[in-house]
């Protein structure tokens, strides 16, 4: 059963006149009659009595009742399909970490959603390995990450550099090193500052598997240093707030620092550690075919525009 056959049936049922129905559809009476016979054969019932005049059978009335809302359904369906053809409807599937999502998504999605009200947006906030698997399986349109793998068949565009800082509460450093030595350490310039200076202090760090944690672990491992971990968390904001409350040291990125809305504690120092943890380049991965779909290409352009010069 197809829409065309049902359309012809409904018109004949409304008109009860083959000639008038054929004229409405600009086809011959013979062609219209053939469509009706094919529909009857498909359903295995007679839909019309032909003598003494054209009228609906019981089966015909049953089908007629079933297709009463057909015009509205057909119109709605055609509108939706037309929107898809015009690339105004669809689904946008984004993958990125929870903490990066807090920084990136508010800068991109509000304006994008306003411009594309019929696009459904799905967010996947998972670990990088899981998101990479989703990307390869075709379950993501865009993956934003700093892992920078080489993924065959996918394009990747750089978005911005992410620099890292070590957050040092003066009180914590003084308790471990003594006030005088703490003052000396905090007065060092960036080139002279060493991880050995603070390795005996307690740390609040992100859980293993998070990018900044893995980079910090690598920096310590290369120097054969082991941190004193007081607490591990999944949320970089939690780590930073605990450090601001002078509980422990932590590692933080300028991406999140720029997004921080609280009042910074003047007794907490924030020192760049580019020497130990080189800046990450955040990139967006996608199939090049996505750039040919209007609403997906629009997201990619909005993403680049949102972060043009952000980290300069």
């Amino acid at each position: 059963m197809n829409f065309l056959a049902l359309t012809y049936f409904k018109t004949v049922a409304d008109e009860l006149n083959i000639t008038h129905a054929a004229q409405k559809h600009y086809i011959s009476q013979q062609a219209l009659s053939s469509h009706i016979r094919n529909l009857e054969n498909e359903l295995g019932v007679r839909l019309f009595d032909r003598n003494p005049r054209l009228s609906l059978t019981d089966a015909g009335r049953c089908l007629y009742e079933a297709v009463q809302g057909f015009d509205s359904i057909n119109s709605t369906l055609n509108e939706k399909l037309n929107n898809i053809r015009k690339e105004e409807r669809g689904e946008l599937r984004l993958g990125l970490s929870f903490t990066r999502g807090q920084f990136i998504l508010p800068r991109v999605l509000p304006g994008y959603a306003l411009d594309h009200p019929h696009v459904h947006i799905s967010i996947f906030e998972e670990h990088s390995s899981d998101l990479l698997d989703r990307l390869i399986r075709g379950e993501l349109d865009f993956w934003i990450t700093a892992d920078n793998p080489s993924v065959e068949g996918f394009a990747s565009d750089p978005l911005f550099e992410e620099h890292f800082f070590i957050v040092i509460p003066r009180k914590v450093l003084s308790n471990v090193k003594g006030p005088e030595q703490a003052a000396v350490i905090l007065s060092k310039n960036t080139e002279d500052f060493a991880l050995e200076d603070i390795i005996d202090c307690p740390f609040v760090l992100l859980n293993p598997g998070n990018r900044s944690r893995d980079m910090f672990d690598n920096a310590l491992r290369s120097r054969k240093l082991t941190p004193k971990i007081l607490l591990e968390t999944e949320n970089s904001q939690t780590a930073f707030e605990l450090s601001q409350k002078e509980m422990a040291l932590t590692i933080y990125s300028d991406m999140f620092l720029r997004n921080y809305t609280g009042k910074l504690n003047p007794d907490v120092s924030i020192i760049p550690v580019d020497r130990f943890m080189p800046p990450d380049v955040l990139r967006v991965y996608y199939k090049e075919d996505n750039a040919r779909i209007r609403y997906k290409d629009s997201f990619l352009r909005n993403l680049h525009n949102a972060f043009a010069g952000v980290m300069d």
Side-chain angles (χ1 to χ4, degrees):
M1 194 183 312
N2 58 57
F3 284 132
L4 184 60
L6 292 176
T7 299
Y8 288 156
F9 164 77
K10 186 175 182 303
T11 304
V12 174
D14 286 336
E15 298 292 329
L16 293 178
N17 186 297
I18 292 290
T19 301
H20 293 167
Q23 290 172 346
K24 283 198 169 186
H25 288 288
Y26 302 100
I27 62 173
S28 68
Q29 296 181 45
Q30 183 180 1
L32 182 56
S33 295
S34 178
H35 278 288
I36 298 300
R37 281 196 302 272
N38 289 339
L39 182 59
E40 289 178 323
N41 291 336
E42 181 181 353
L43 296 175
V45 294
R46 284 191 305 107
L47 299 174
F48 295 96
D49 283 324
R50 273 77 174 175
N51 293 309
R53 59 186 179 83
L54 196 65
S55 62
L56 286 167
T57 63
D58 288 342
R61 282 190 289 273
C62 181
L63 181 60
Y64 186 73
E65 290 175 3
V67 299
Q68 280 306 295
F70 177 74
D71 287 341
S72 175
I73 294 171
N74 195 34
S75 176
T76 300
L77 178 60
N78 282 331
E79 179 184 357
K80 289 182 177 181
L81 293 176
N82 190 47
N83 283 332
I84 291 173
R85 283 191 292 270
K86 291 181 178 179
E87 297 171 358
E88 294 175 358
R89 286 183 186 269
E91 183 178 15
L92 186 72
R93 303 164 300 173
L94 311 177
L96 72 174
S97 70
F98 171 77
T99 46
R100 289 198 177 96
Q102 290 179 306
F103 176 75
I104 294 172
L105 298 182
R107 287 167 166 78
V108 180
L109 290 188
Y112 177 82
L114 190 64
D115 292 337
H116 301 275
H118 301 301
V119 173
H120 176 72
I121 302 171
S122 297
I123 308 296
F124 298 87
E125 295 173 314
E126 301 169 359
H127 283 295
S128 292
S129 59
D130 297 323
L131 293 174
L132 175 57
D133 289 342
R134 283 188 180 276
L135 183 76
I136 293 171
R137 291 197 303 265
E139 297 173 5
L140 292 179
D141 297 306
F142 297 98
W143 176 39
I144 300 171
T145 181
D147 286 346
N148 299 330
S150 176
V151 189
E152 186 177 354
F154 289 84
S156 70
D157 298 343
L159 295 174
F160 54 82
E161 282 191 343
E162 180 181 13
H163 297 260
F164 296 94
F165 298 81
I166 190 162
V167 184
I168 307 176
R170 181 183 295 271
K171 182 174 75 174
V172 175
L173 188 60
S174 295
N175 288 342
V176 175
K177 297 291 188 180
E180 292 185 3
Q181 184 62 21
V184 171
I185 292 172
L186 293 176
S187 66
K188 289 184 176 183
N189 58 40
T190 303
E191 289 72 23
D192 295 329
F193 179 81
L195 292 177
E196 288 80 358
D197 292 334
I198 47 85
I199 195 60
D200 295 333
C201 297
F203 282 85
V204 174
L205 296 175
L206 295 183
N207 292 327
N210 283 283
R211 178 67 176 174
S212 60
R213 169 64 186 277
D214 291 346
M215 291 179 67
F216 186 54
D217 285 348
N218 289 337
L220 295 179
R221 194 176 299 114
S222 68
R223 292 164 176 78
K224 298 181 179 179
L225 300 175
T226 303
K228 180 182 177 182
I229 301 175
L230 185 65
L231 181 69
E232 292 178 317
T233 177
E234 190 66 27
N235 194 317
S236 63
Q237 188 70 25
T238 299
F240 187 75
E241 291 289 354
L242 292 175
S243 187
Q244 285 290 296
K245 295 298 183 180
E246 303 177 89
M247 180 178 178
L249 283 65
T250 195
I251 296 294
Y252 210 61
S253 83
D254 59 350
M255 178 169 66
F256 303 117
L257 190 60
R258 287 171 181 258
N259 209 38
Y260 184 68
T261 57
K263 184 178 180 181
L264 294 175
N265 186 337
D267 292 323
V268 175
S269 298
I270 301 176
I271 299 174
V273 290
D274 282 0
R275 276 201 307 130
F276 316 113
M277 298 172 61
D280 254 345
V281 177
L282 260 76
R283 307 181 71 89
V284 56
Y285 287 76
Y286 59 96
K287 281 279 191 182
E288 289 189 352
D289 287 349
N290 286 349
R292 301 188 185 99
I293 299 175
R294 186 183 306 172
Y295 70 85
K296 293 181 182 180
D297 178 61
S298 176
F299 173 80
L300 189 61
R301 285 186 284 104
N302 283 11
L303 187 63
H304 281 293
N305 291 338
F307 294 101
V310 164
M311 295 300 171
D312 294 344

